């Protein structure tokens, strides 16, 4: 039996389900993620593209830079996804959009060299 992780945007216009095991959960400190989310750091969970189904509405996309497409809800503006040509078979979903976000603990840091100097995080975390 496959595990299912359900998620949605703030207003509920976009709902999705990811089935199976996540590819990984990680912090991203890049400037693009900060601007997209409005937060000092983003936390993503990666799933294979064919394991995620949008069950209501549609994720609106925006090509934010060469090779990177970001997704959001067109109604409420919730930040939802990031897809990159470096991982062509998977999409990264913002952990905060999931109903069981507490179960999706990050274990890696990407672009740690771009971390804001006042943000204090433990870079030695062990992933699940």
């Amino acid at each position: 039996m496959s595990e299912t992780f359900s998620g949605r945007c703030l207003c509920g216009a976009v709902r999705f389900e990811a089935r199976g095991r996540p590819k990984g959960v990680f912090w991203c400190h890049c400037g693009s993620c900060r601007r997209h989310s409005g937060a000092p750091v983003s936390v993503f969970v990666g799933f294979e593209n064919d394991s995620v189904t949008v069950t209501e509405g549609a994720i609106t996309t925006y090509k934010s830079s060469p090779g990177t497409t970001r997704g959001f809800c067109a109604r409420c503006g919730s930040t939802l996804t990031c897809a990159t040509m470096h991982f062509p078979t998977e999409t990264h979903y913002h952990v905060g959009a999931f109903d069981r976000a507490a179960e999706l603990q990050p274990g890696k840091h990407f672009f740690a060299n771009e971390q804001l100097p006042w943000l204090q995080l433990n870079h030695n975390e062990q992933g699940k």
Side-chain angles (χ1 to χ4, degrees), residues 99-122:
D99 298 335
R100 295 172 23 222
E103 295 176 35
L104 299 168
Q105 180 179 345
K108 296 179 185 176
H109 291 264
F110 289 119
F111 299 100
N113 60 317
E114 294 184 41
Q115 179 176 323
L116 295 173
W118 49 260
L119 183 65
Q120 300 298 312
L121 297 171
N122 180 0

Side-chain angles (χ1 to χ4, degrees), residues 1 3 9 20 28 46 57-58 62 79 86 88 100 103 109 118 125:
M1 181 159 187
E3 188 159 13
C9 65
C28 186
Y62 168 72
T79 302
H86 301 292
R100 295 172 23 222
E103 295 176 35
H109 291 264
W118 49 260
E125 296 146 62

